[in-house]
Amino acid sequence: MTIKKHIVSILTLLLLTVSGYAQKLVTVTGVVRDKMGSIPSATIIVKNEKSSTSSDLDGKFSIKVTDPQTAVLVVKYVGMQDLTVPLKGRTSGIVVEMKESTSELNEVVVIGYGTQKRANLTGAVSSIKGTTLEKVPTSSVAEALVGRLPGVQITSADGSPGADIMIRVRGGGSITQDNSPLILVDGFEVATLNDVPPTDIESVEVLKDAASTAIYGARGANGVILVTTKKPKANMVSVNLNSYMQMKTLSNHLDVMDPYEYTMMQYEYERGRTSNPTAFFNRYGRANELYIYQGDKGTDWQDEIFGTNPIAKYLDLNISGGSEKTKFKFAVVNQDQPGALIGTGLKQTNINFMMTTKLSDKFTFEYQTRFTDQTIAGSGTEGVSLLNTIRQAPTLGLQDYMTLPEDDTYFDPEDYQPVKRFDPIQEAAKNYRNRISRTFNTVGALTWNIDKGLNFRSSFGFQYQYSEDGRFWGTDTGTAFANNNQPVVTWGMTQSPRWQMTNVLNYNFKLQKLHDFQLMLGQEIKDQSSANKTYTTRYFPETITAEKALDNLALGTPSGNASSEGSPNRISSFFGRVNYGYDDKYLITLTGRADGSTKFGPENRWGFFPSAAVAWRVSNEDFLKDNKTISNLKMRLSYGVSGNDRISGDLYAKYYGVSQNRSVGWGETSHYYYNFYNGNYLSNPDVKWESTYTTNLGFDFGFFKERLTGTIEIYKNTVKDLLVPSDIAGASGFNKIMTNVGQTSNKGIDFGINGSVVQNKDFQLDLNFNVGFNKNKIDALSSGENEWILSSGWAGTQLLNDDDYRAYVGGTKGLIYGFVNDGFYTVDDFEPLDPVTRVWVLKDGVANSKNLSGDPRPGNAKFKKLTPVDPTDSNTYVIGAKDRQVIGNTNPDFSGGFGLNAVWKNFDLSTFFNFVYGFDVYNANKIMMTSWYSNNQNNLGMEISLANRWRNFDDMGNDLRSSPELLADFNKNATIWNPTSIGRPVAESYAIEDGSFLRLNMLTLGFTIPKALTKKMIFNRVRLYATGSNLFVWTNYSGYDPEVNLETGLTPNIDYNAYPRTRNYTFGAQLSF
Amino acid sequence: MRIQEQEITLLEHNYHFNIKTKTMKKKILLSLLFTFLLGFTACNDYLDVQPATGFTEAEVFSSESEIQSAVAGVYTLMLSDDAYSNRLAFVFNPNTDVEMVGVSTNTVNVNGSDIACFEPKPYWTTLNSTWNAMYKIINLSNDIIEGIEKSDIYKADKKDKASKVTQLYGEVKTLRAMVYLDMIRIWGDVVFRTKSSVGGEDFTVGVTDRNKILEFLIDDLKSVEPLMQYASELDYGTERASRSFNQGLIGLLALTRGGWALRPDTDAAGIGHMVRGENYEMYYDTAIQYLGKVINEKHHDLKLSYRDFWVKQNNWVTPVDDDVMFSLPLLKSVSGEYAYSIGIPITAGSHPYGSASGSLSLCGTYLYSFDVKDLRRDVTCAPYSYDANLNQVIRLNLAQLATGKWSKLYETAPLGSTSTKSTGVNYSWMRFADVLLMYAEAVNERVGLREDAKECLRRVRRRAFDKADWSAKVDAYVDSKTTQAQFFNAIVDERAWEFGGESKRKFDLARWNKYGEVIYNQYNKLLNWGKVANGAYVAGVDNVPGSVYWKNIPDPNNAGRTILDIKGINEILYAKPAGYTEQVFASAWYSLNSDTQAYEPRNDIKWSFRGFINFNNASSKTPNDPLRYLCPYPSKVITDHRGNIQNYYGFNY
């Protein structure tokens, strides 16, 4: 920490010594314009002098120079080529005609610890500009990025506000639970992209190959996302306002049974159990009365919990300005995003202040501070379970038809016990959750330009995050019930400080005008820690509201508190990079980084990650230099290693922790006791770095003066010592262990292309397209096994054979494993029915599915026998655990997106589609909606409606089970088994569906009010727009949305109780003053 | 700090005078280099971290009191719902002729909360979570045993007499043995671990023969027994595993080792067969030796009356020198279901006792097995519940008879009107009466009727009867058992009466190889009672209670409340006495099925034992058929052990 003190004292002294001095100056005036007209806000500086200014609304400027004879003006504007204008004695009427920068080749791309011209890149870097993101009104950056970067797959776990967002660069090098990329905002490592408002972004870069990511060593294996926020511009003060309103609606609807279908289904089940189901009759009526439900629409609970169509609001206000010497930016973003599910929502305010100041010719100081205040309401589908809700009965039965007698003389209210109606609003109030998170982040950096080409930059950043999680369980919830059925509150608080210090020395020089060197040497230390405290209070008065209970904990009885604070997570690093270019034709990059991480034991603590890359700018060779068609052609080849230490801390050593939770009751008092510090994970002293070896071959091309540009990347990465939390036998006393399980590899191609099809004054049209192909392979498992058995656990251990995923050595990960459906038993599968015993006996050689769908009888689900027949085994036809195979592959063949941007006069239109093709989704919701698992008068899906399913009772409730001919005839059109036969969840081929989809992700129409009009008001620019997001999905998938829990670790693509995506309509305005 | 000042001066020079010299550059570069070096030298310490809320082995095993807190961790794990707070307290022990869960359908329960009808399934969550919970206890015990062995305190101890640290050492070993015993009684052969788990170990091992495990545990407990302390010397008495409990447990382990057990057939689809442990005589002798120690060392006795004993239990009082040998120390308002799930049902109301579900039931026929004068009957069997005003309500049926040993109404300091479970009433895992009867059983087995064995039986029965009845019900009764077989049967009966509702019957019947026989008889008994009550003639069955009759009378002890006066229990009645209301009992057990138009037993007779005997297979069953009382290994265990563990007893089919 002494270093930090030193920096502070330097700065203090420097600030004191800064002083201005005056001189006699001459004023020069002029105007900045391009072929379209005047350019406001262009920056004008005087070369080698201190003065600077910017053009006004009409493009006019005035600036002071010391000597008009020798002075040279430098004019800069975003998207234009920099222009140097020697004054040659002129002092007025200077017309500066700017030209658009012709290509993105000169565009500067942010890379690790520095920037690079795109033309000189040797690694695989995708980037997107803030101007593109601005057109997508979303609450988070990640959402705006979906489908736009080749080889980068972004999905949110589900549609809830503040949902975890999964970002996978090239399929995720690692396949651990946390294979998300490293995210840095202005060089500072952060945990999530959600803290940065999308409108505050200058650019986002994704580093994809090891040549680019190796500089981040330990943390780079899963790709690196560099977010650069908008920097203040020297300007007269400018004010920008961007505001929108957004309406959310549920984008899809599941078809569930209406009251008639429902009561008929329940009747069939109850009659199957007993000939006289009196409880059913009392509630719903007798079979011959059930017709009363026909035509009754009942309650569709989806409408009840999603029907509110909430309106989200977003407001971004930013002010920036300053002189060339000191610039500042101040931005406030406020958003209110109520969730489509009742009782959920997100509110967030970001305040961002940034300042850069030139302390002297040699020193520049940058300072930035961000504050985020976020509140997430609701516990998502954990509180109000989506499945519980859609499984609610659509009718209460006869009670819905009952009217109380007018004359209540004979009515004893105590005799009447109405059935309690499920109320999702109350349910949400009873499962209350409110999460508050406040993040303060501050970074200061001092750059010292020691000499030409030599500079030293030292930065120190600190972030403090404080979060609160308040939970309340009202009466009748499970938690309350365990505590005398009185409300319970758990209030937790987490403090997570993190800091990092980085020192980087850069030295750039040219030798003989041909040899271009860029050297970089750096050192960095990072420290992250987290301390958590949780307080549980119970026995609140039964009628208390959640807010009141959380605000007045003293109304309850304290029942437990706990604290936890793991080891700080520290990294100490040394790194360096050499870039060498010969004549702008041949480029070489070498990087190396050594990292020490506290995640590993002393033996395995340090890792070294080198990389090398070469590039050949073919278009700069003489034979192509003057080619009219090819404007740019570059080949790149890189190889390198990056690491992954993204596991929880303290997994390598055994510690004990202390607790009083549910303690021993010696003497009826609570005692503290010791247990293992980590009760779930067995410590593993051998755990070590996961390393990713990447080879990347890339081609960048541009045709027709860069009107058509694109990139192809071919890559292969191999992950060695893959770090995975593995299940271990419960006999160890633990459930999991973190181990280096083996080796996997990914091969693939990323392709992106952009075309400016039309470029007129009044009409511009750009098209873009990108696609990524990725193939995953398991190369080896360190246990020596060929098969990797995995359990998703979506149904706990209730699932019949809960190991429902596989990965094979030589094959891929993410294979769904289970039984294969074979329709249902028909009368023909059985011996003639014995009228006395009335027991159905299967014919010889017919598979017996009794373990899955009960003792076989006509109409019960039937499964395929996959194992060979063993004549010596009397049970050979009984379907067992071995009669399973791979029934689904969750790895997509390819994914990507395409879109267009068009501008016609004052209108702009942009649209974007994204797609993922060739992957399977495990529709667990469907299993729940079409089987009898934990069905207690629950509603079911229409897949098994009266028209579709096998029925054992006719419309009037006559039992057909003992009349084979009648039964067969009645069911001759049945297409699906009787759902009552499947009493528990089964991983079956029926639930595996192709998830391929094409989504109309976004469509925006904007209108910029002509300047002539806006200028009369005080505005500089006014743009109004309307956007629709997630407008349409083309898919054959039968659930809410096929894009669900994609790529989540080793058991992905399960659609179980996930919060469905919404369709959003947005109306907004962007104003600048 | 000096470097800094130097730098600052440099900077100022730079700024004001723009001096550039080569020497300065060098200095600058040197100072930069220094910063880098600073980073290097600091980094070794920088990367040595320890969690703020983590303790090392050296810290935990530093003193007796800290070691006791580590041992408290073992007890705490034992008190989880998946272990002794719920599952082992009452989920794994029915159905027998004593405890009974009525199962009224032939459909297998998906969630697997009932194991009662002998058709457990490998995928049942309960099995997996209990398996895991038990091994968590075992692993922590193994770790603490190693920790104590390595600790300075233990090393320095002379080990010539019981000390705090040797007691703690023996205590953990005793607890570990108890957990293993219960696992063996539930699963048969299990995975045997005696070392603290470490990363890199191969856990995909197979199971170890239960006899090997029991032999290890017996020797292990013998080795620590001399250095353990008696309950009266311990800070929490019988809430900790004492020397006497160690001795009693050795007896039980030995009887289990020397008893019968279900062993797999070569065909995994077969039900299995009953085998007696080889060399069983030696283990019965071990039992006699160690159970004899408990009796002779006189640290425990049956001083309190049977009723007072249970009243005290319900009031969280556990005397150190009476019946309780070891009691699981549940914590009031935090854990424990005795007096809630196991006890007399109470409807919540304005009264301060809260509710009780009384979901663990005794079989209705059990009530009639008692001697009318047996004081234990009315303490153990409660054919009633309490309504919201605490009036007694008749509640007696085939599988509906509350265990009266536990009741919230015994509480002198009630837990409050909304209280539910988490009663904190301890689970008496072993009682002195158990030791006496095991001793009597072992002696009878080895040497036949011997005076000390008879005296043990007498001691248990003396507490069960009024002093006036002793000559008939204690002395004459015991003397009437004149053969080894008669005496053994008397032990079988006595244990049923003494331990009703205490989770012992199932495992007793198994080790005696009487489980199949008893369930066969029980099924037929229920069937025949139903038939006879409906007027049929069944040879050897007469006088069955078709109905009982009740009326409300004022509660003599509590003004304003009523209790029941029930007729038809002490003597069987065939007509309703005037002023009483009829509660149909065995008459309802056999009736006309409207669907099949045939007279049939009630559903809960048909299916409550269906994994062994049921309505479909009863004609082909014999009392000598093996009963599959064990549970299958959980599916997750089969998967996790990668083929080294397999299910037998037909559990795969």
Side-chain angles (χ1 to χ4, degrees), chain A residues 808-830:
Chain A
Y808 294 101
V809 171
T812 83
K813 67 175 167 96
L815 301 174
I816 309 166
Y817 193 77
F819 296 95
V820 179
N821 292 84
D822 191 16
F824 48 86
Y825 291 103
T826 63
V827 175
D828 298 337
D829 287 325
F830 298 88

Coordinates of all heavy atoms in Angstrom, one line a residue, chain A residues 808-830:
Chain A
Y808 N -18.2 -37.8 -23.9 CA -17.4 -39.0 -24.2 C -16.0 -38.5 -24.6 O -15.9 -37.6 -25.4 CB -18.0 -39.8 -25.3 CG -19.3 -40.5 -24.8 CD1 -20.5 -39.9 -25.2 CD2 -19.3 -41.6 -24.0 CE1 -21.7 -40.5 -24.8 CE2 -20.4 -42.2 -23.6 CZ -21.7 -41.6 -24.0 OH -22.8 -42.2 -23.5
V809 N -15.0 -39.3 -24.2 CA -13.6 -39.0 -24.8 C -13.7 -39.3 -26.3 O -14.2 -40.3 -26.7 CB -12.6 -39.9 -24.1 CG1 -11.2 -39.8 -24.7 CG2 -12.5 -39.5 -22.6
G810 N -13.2 -38.3 -27.0 CA -13.4 -38.4 -28.5 C -14.7 -37.9 -29.0 O -14.8 -37.7 -30.2
G811 N -15.6 -37.6 -28.1 CA -16.9 -37.0 -28.5 C -17.0 -35.6 -27.9 O -16.1 -35.0 -27.5
T812 N -18.3 -35.2 -27.8 CA -18.4 -33.8 -27.3 C -19.0 -33.8 -25.9 O -19.5 -34.8 -25.4 CB -19.4 -33.0 -28.2 OG1 -20.7 -33.3 -27.9 CG2 -19.1 -33.3 -29.7
K813 N -19.1 -32.6 -25.3 CA -19.8 -32.5 -24.1 C -21.2 -32.1 -24.3 O -21.6 -32.0 -25.5 CB -19.1 -31.3 -23.3 CG -19.4 -30.0 -24.0 CD -18.8 -28.8 -23.2 CE -18.8 -27.5 -24.0 NZ -19.9 -26.6 -23.8
G814 N -22.0 -32.0 -23.3 CA -23.4 -31.6 -23.4 C -24.3 -32.5 -24.1 O -25.2 -32.1 -24.9
L815 N -24.1 -33.8 -24.0 CA -25.0 -34.8 -24.6 C -26.1 -35.2 -23.6 O -25.7 -35.6 -22.5 CB -24.2 -36.0 -25.0 CG -23.1 -35.7 -26.0 CD1 -22.3 -37.0 -26.3 CD2 -23.6 -35.2 -27.3
I816 N -27.3 -35.1 -24.0 CA -28.4 -35.5 -23.1 C -28.6 -37.0 -23.2 O -28.6 -37.6 -24.3 CB -29.7 -34.8 -23.4 CG1 -29.4 -33.3 -23.5 CG2 -30.8 -35.0 -22.4 CD1 -30.5 -32.5 -24.1
Y817 N -28.7 -37.7 -22.1 CA -28.7 -39.1 -22.0 C -30.0 -39.6 -21.4 O -30.4 -39.1 -20.3 CB -27.5 -39.6 -21.2 CG -27.1 -41.0 -21.3 CD1 -26.5 -41.5 -22.4 CD2 -27.4 -41.9 -20.2 CE1 -26.1 -42.8 -22.5 CE2 -27.1 -43.2 -20.3 CZ -26.4 -43.7 -21.4 OH -26.1 -45.0 -21.5
G818 N -30.7 -40.5 -22.0 CA -31.9 -41.0 -21.4 C -32.6 -42.1 -22.2 O -32.0 -42.7 -23.1
F819 N -33.9 -42.3 -21.8 CA -34.6 -43.4 -22.4 C -35.3 -42.9 -23.7 O -35.5 -41.7 -23.9 CB -35.8 -43.8 -21.5 CG -35.2 -44.4 -20.2 CD1 -35.1 -43.7 -19.1 CD2 -34.9 -45.8 -20.2 CE1 -34.6 -44.2 -17.9 CE2 -34.4 -46.3 -19.0 CZ -34.2 -45.6 -17.9
V820 N -35.5 -43.9 -24.6 CA -36.1 -43.6 -25.9 C -37.6 -44.0 -25.9 O -37.9 -45.1 -25.6 CB -35.4 -44.3 -27.0 CG1 -36.0 -44.0 -28.4 CG2 -33.9 -43.9 -27.0
N821 N -38.5 -43.0 -26.2 CA -39.9 -43.3 -26.2 C -40.2 -44.2 -27.4 O -39.6 -44.1 -28.4 CB -40.7 -42.0 -26.3 CG -40.6 -41.2 -25.1 OD1 -39.6 -40.4 -25.0 ND2 -41.5 -41.3 -24.2
D822 N -41.2 -45.0 -27.1 CA -41.7 -45.9 -28.2 C -43.2 -45.9 -28.2 O -43.9 -47.0 -28.2 CB -41.1 -47.3 -28.0 CG -41.3 -48.2 -29.1 OD1 -41.6 -47.7 -30.2 OD2 -41.2 -49.5 -29.0
G823 N -43.8 -44.7 -28.1 CA -45.3 -44.6 -28.1 C -45.9 -45.2 -26.9 O -45.4 -44.9 -25.8
F824 N -46.9 -46.0 -27.0 CA -47.6 -46.5 -25.9 C -48.0 -47.9 -26.2 O -48.1 -48.4 -27.4 CB -48.8 -45.7 -25.5 CG -49.7 -45.3 -26.7 CD1 -50.7 -46.2 -27.1 CD2 -49.5 -44.1 -27.3 CE1 -51.5 -45.8 -28.1 CE2 -50.3 -43.8 -28.4 CZ -51.3 -44.6 -28.8
Y825 N -48.4 -48.7 -25.2 CA -48.8 -50.1 -25.3 C -50.2 -50.0 -25.9 O -51.1 -49.2 -25.5 CB -48.9 -50.8 -24.0 CG -47.5 -51.1 -23.4 CD1 -47.0 -50.3 -22.4 CD2 -46.7 -52.1 -23.9 CE1 -45.7 -50.6 -21.9 CE2 -45.5 -52.4 -23.4 CZ -45.0 -51.6 -22.4 OH -43.7 -51.9 -21.9
T826 N -50.5 -50.9 -26.8 CA -51.8 -51.1 -27.4 C -52.3 -52.5 -26.9 O -51.5 -53.3 -26.4 CB -51.9 -51.0 -28.9 OG1 -51.1 -52.1 -29.4 CG2 -51.3 -49.7 -29.4
V827 N -53.5 -52.7 -27.2 CA -54.1 -54.0 -26.8 C -53.4 -55.2 -27.4 O -53.2 -56.3 -26.9 CB -55.6 -54.0 -27.1 CG1 -56.2 -55.4 -26.9 CG2 -56.4 -52.9 -26.4
D828 N -52.8 -54.9 -28.6 CA -52.1 -56.0 -29.4 C -50.8 -56.4 -28.7 O -50.3 -57.4 -29.0 CB -51.8 -55.5 -30.8 CG -53.1 -55.2 -31.6 OD1 -54.1 -55.7 -31.2 OD2 -53.0 -54.3 -32.5
D829 N -50.3 -55.6 -27.8 CA -49.1 -56.0 -27.1 C -49.3 -57.0 -26.0 O -48.3 -57.5 -25.4 CB -48.4 -54.7 -26.5 CG -47.8 -53.8 -27.5 OD1 -47.3 -54.3 -28.5 OD2 -47.9 -52.6 -27.3
F830 N -50.6 -57.3 -25.8 CA -50.8 -58.2 -24.6 C -51.5 -59.5 -25.1 O -52.1 -59.6 -26.1 CB -51.8 -57.5 -23.6 CG -51.1 -56.2 -23.1 CD1 -51.3 -55.0 -23.7 CD2 -50.4 -56.3 -21.9 CE1 -50.7 -53.9 -23.2 CE2 -49.8 -55.2 -21.4 CZ -50.0 -54.0 -22.0

